[in-house]
Amino acid sequence: MIGIVVLGLAVYLIFFNKSTETTEEAPKLLALTQSKNSEAFNGPFNNALLAYYQLHDALVHWDTAKATESAKLLQASLVKVPYDSLKADSNLILTAKSFSGNINSDCIGIIGDSSISEKRKSFYELSENLYTLVQTVKYDQQKLYHMVCPMAFGDDKEGKWISNSDSVINPYLGLKHPKYHAAMINCGSVADTLDYRIK
């Protein structure tokens, strides 16, 4: 009898430890289990967002090659998003596809742009299209933030981006700015919050 109890306890501990490891390694985007949208939609859309965050990070580090690579990855991820699986009317699905097409065009711009400054201009357009796309599909896997830098393209020209954190990591001024260096990496604030999670 004692042997059975010990064996049961051992199995429980092994299972519990594996569950804990899996939870710790899972991406933040997959933290929620409930969703109005299907897993068939959420999986590819999450992948597209991850590619977008990689693009953001490449701009933070002034890495033009990585930005180009990330834009290509974002393009490939967007193609796999099944907008027709959304539980929505046909007009909303067409709208989502339209903004997805705009993002694809912005990716083409980033891939073709040779300078980091031009890539950032395309990134701003891409980010605004992504912001509207997230609103259109009511993405509900996690809370997202619409961030703004008031001096992204000069002292009076703002730039915006999407983040999964309210901490400001500025992709327009970045870590290697010729004038500010890394001093303006936290320049910006939250302009809007997107939270469609099931309460």
Side-chain angles (χ1 to χ4, degrees):
M1 183 68 177
I2 293 174
I4 293 172
V5 171
V6 171
L7 180 61
L9 182 60
V11 169
Y12 171 80
L13 288 174
I14 290 169
F15 176 76
F16 179 77
N17 287 337
K18 284 185 178 177
S19 297
T20 303
E21 289 171 8
T22 303
T23 302
E24 289 173 355
E25 293 171 4
K28 292 179 183 177
L29 285 172
L30 304 178
L32 295 179
T33 56
Q34 290 186 321
S35 177
K36 294 183 288 290
N37 295 324
S38 68
E39 183 54 38
F41 174 84
N42 286 331
F45 200 84
N46 284 338
N47 290 337
L49 283 175
L50 289 172
Y52 172 83
Y53 299 141
Q54 289 178 21
L55 175 56
H56 165 277
D57 293 347
L59 295 176
V60 167
H61 292 280
W62 290 67
D63 190 334
T64 55
K66 184 67 176 175
T68 297
E69 179 186 323
S70 300
K72 289 178 180 177
L73 179 60
L74 178 52
Q75 262 190 316
S77 300
L78 279 173
V79 169
K80 297 176 182 175
V81 177
Y83 295 102
D84 289 322
S85 71
L86 289 169
K87 298 170 185 174
D89 63 49
S90 57
N91 286 333
L92 187 144
I93 291 171
L94 285 173
T95 301
K97 288 180 177 179
S98 175
F99 282 108
S100 184
N102 291 345
I103 294 169
N104 181 66
S105 297
D106 297 326
C107 286
I108 291 171
I110 292 170
I111 293 164
D113 293 332
S114 56
S115 71
I116 194 78
S117 61
E118 289 302 313
K119 288 182 187 295
R120 286 190 168 110
K121 288 176 184 175
S122 296
F123 177 75
Y124 177 28
E125 296 301 322
L126 188 157
S127 297
E128 291 302 273
N129 281 313
L130 179 60
Y131 171 65
T132 308
L133 178 60
V134 167
Q135 290 177 307
T136 301
V137 302
K138 291 184 168 43
Y139 171 78
D140 61 2
Q141 289 290 278
Q142 67 173 178
K143 189 178 193 177
L144 297 179
Y145 301 88
H146 194 208
M147 314 297 284
V148 59
C149 169
M151 52 183 290
F153 302 105
D155 291 341
D156 59 347
K157 294 182 181 178
E158 69 179 22
K160 294 180 179 177
W161 71 98
I162 303 295
S163 176
N164 59 356
S165 167
D166 61 358
S167 298
V168 177
I169 306 294
N170 191 311
Y172 298 105
L173 302 175
L175 293 168
K176 301 176 183 178
H177 193 278
K179 180 179 178 181
Y180 304 116
H181 306 288
M184 302 297 283
I185 189 65
N186 302 124
C187 174
S189 60
V190 176
D192 190 18
T193 302
L194 300 173
D195 191 359
Y196 298 103
R197 294 174 297 176
I198 296 173
K199 304 298 183 187

